[in-house]
């Protein structure tokens, strides 16, 4: 017998999947795309074939990630539109320079660049504090920043408010997996949720009060506890798959004592 044929993806099935993931009805999508609900129904059942422009319009309305817009185009019989280049490719020089400036400019505070799976792409020198004492197997490429954050032998064992941070990160990761349709993120969520922390009650989490603004990271560092919070930035209007999936996470001191410690030099 010959090799098993690879089953082609159906545009209709992919469109329906993204519409349902976004919790949008056929009628609502039709209104936004300026077509009839009947046409959307025919596209999903395969009774109608979309034009290239319609694939792009529906993808935009449903906020489909660029990687999956290419899949929709291919499923509809068109060539992919959005290229995917390696970060180190010559034509990505302007992106690398921007990342380098942001990372260096954020010192003495930590900053990292991650991809869509939370794998580390780049980091500044201050981010080395997150890897101190971490077992070598967790530092093999690709280093996953989310795994590094919650693994009991890494940052998970150093967080003074582990239950609070863990609940926040797992909730965000689950929603990201659902929104992106990423099976890898779903698997990562399940892995992190299964971590065991002896002696730590994960059911005890801080209830936000009127004075709270952000969920802090309270990190044990020697005899001190550093208080930090993070921000995440992305490139605006990307047209490359790789660039669209890059995120820059910057860490900021949450109090004057933490800021002073960073200003004194590498931790």
């Amino acid at each position: 017998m010959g090799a098993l044929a690879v089953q082609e993806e159906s545009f209709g099935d992919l469109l329906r999947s993204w519409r349902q993931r976004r919790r949008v009805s056929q009628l609502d999508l039709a209104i936004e795309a300026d077509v009839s609900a009947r046409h959307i129904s025919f596209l999903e059942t395969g009774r109608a074939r979309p034009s290239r422009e319609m694939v792009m319009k529906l993808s935009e309305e449903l906020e489909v990630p660029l990687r999956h817009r290419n899949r929709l185009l291919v499923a509809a019989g068109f060539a992919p539109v959005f290229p995917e280049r390696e970060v180190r490719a010559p034509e990505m020089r302007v992106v690398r320079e921007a990342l380098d400036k942001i990372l260096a400019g954020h010192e003495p505070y930590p900053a990292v660049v991650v991809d869509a799976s939370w794998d580390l792409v780049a980091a500044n020198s201050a981010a080395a504090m997150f890897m101190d004492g971490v077992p070598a197997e967790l530092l093999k490429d690709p280093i996953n920043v989310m795994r590094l954050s919650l693994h009991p032998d890494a940052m998970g064992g150093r967080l003074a408010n582990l239950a609070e941070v863990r609940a926040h990160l797992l909730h965000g990761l689950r929603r990201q997996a659902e929104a992106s349709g990423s099976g890898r993120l779903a698997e990562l969520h399940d892995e992190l949720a299964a971590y065991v922390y002896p002696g730590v009650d994960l059911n005890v989490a801080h209830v936000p009060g009127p004075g709270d603004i952000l969920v802090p990271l309270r990190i044990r560092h020697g005899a001190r506890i550093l208080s930090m919070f993070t921000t995440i930035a992305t490139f605006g209007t990307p047209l490359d798959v790789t660039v669209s999936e890059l995120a820059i996470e910057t860490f900021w001191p949450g109090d004057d004592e933490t800021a002073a410690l960073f200003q004194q030099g590498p931790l």
Side-chain angles (χ1 to χ4, degrees), residues 1-32:
M1 273 180 88
L4 293 175
V6 177
Q7 185 176 2
E8 294 184 358
E9 293 183 304
S10 160
F11 172 81
D13 289 342
L14 288 175
L15 176 61
R16 183 185 304 108
S17 174
W18 281 104
R19 180 179 60 76
Q20 293 175 342
R21 185 175 286 119
R22 296 294 186 252
R23 295 177 172 83
V24 174
S25 69
Q26 288 184 346
L27 178 59
D28 288 339
L29 179 57
I31 292 172
E32 293 298 325

Side-chain angles (χ1 to χ4, degrees), residues 2-67:
L4 293 175
V6 177
Q7 185 176 2
E8 294 184 358
E9 293 183 304
S10 160
F11 172 81
D13 289 342
L14 288 175
L15 176 61
R16 183 185 304 108
S17 174
W18 281 104
R19 180 179 60 76
Q20 293 175 342
R21 185 175 286 119
R22 296 294 186 252
R23 295 177 172 83
V24 174
S25 69
Q26 288 184 346
L27 178 59
D28 288 339
L29 179 57
I31 292 172
E32 293 298 325
D34 196 25
V35 296
S36 69
R38 179 186 178 91
H39 186 56
I40 297 296
S41 176
F42 278 16
L43 289 176
E44 291 188 356
T45 59
R47 295 179 65 183
R49 179 181 174 182
S51 66
R52 180 177 176 275
E53 291 70 22
M54 180 56 65
V55 176
M56 298 291 284
K57 186 171 185 59
L58 293 173
S59 298
E60 183 70 23
E61 295 298 339
L62 292 172
E63 299 181 351
V64 177
L66 298 192
R67 179 180 301 279

Side-chain angles (χ1 to χ4, degrees), residues 156-224:
R158 295 170 55 190
L159 288 170
N161 60 335
L162 173 62
E164 180 182 17
V165 173
R166 174 182 177 274
H168 179 76
L169 292 183
L170 288 179
H171 176 74
L173 187 59
R174 178 176 58 79
R175 296 198 54 168
Q176 184 182 359
E178 293 173 351
S180 66
S182 171
R184 185 175 179 187
L185 286 180
E187 292 175 0
L188 179 62
H189 171 275
D190 292 344
E191 175 195 333
L192 303 188
Y195 286 163
V196 176
Y197 308 90
V200 178
D201 186 354
L202 298 178
N203 295 314
V204 178
H206 171 70
V207 177
D212 292 325
I213 300 174
L214 300 164
V215 175
L217 297 173
R218 302 188 66 240
I219 305 168
R220 297 185 186 92
H221 186 75
R224 299 183 175 91

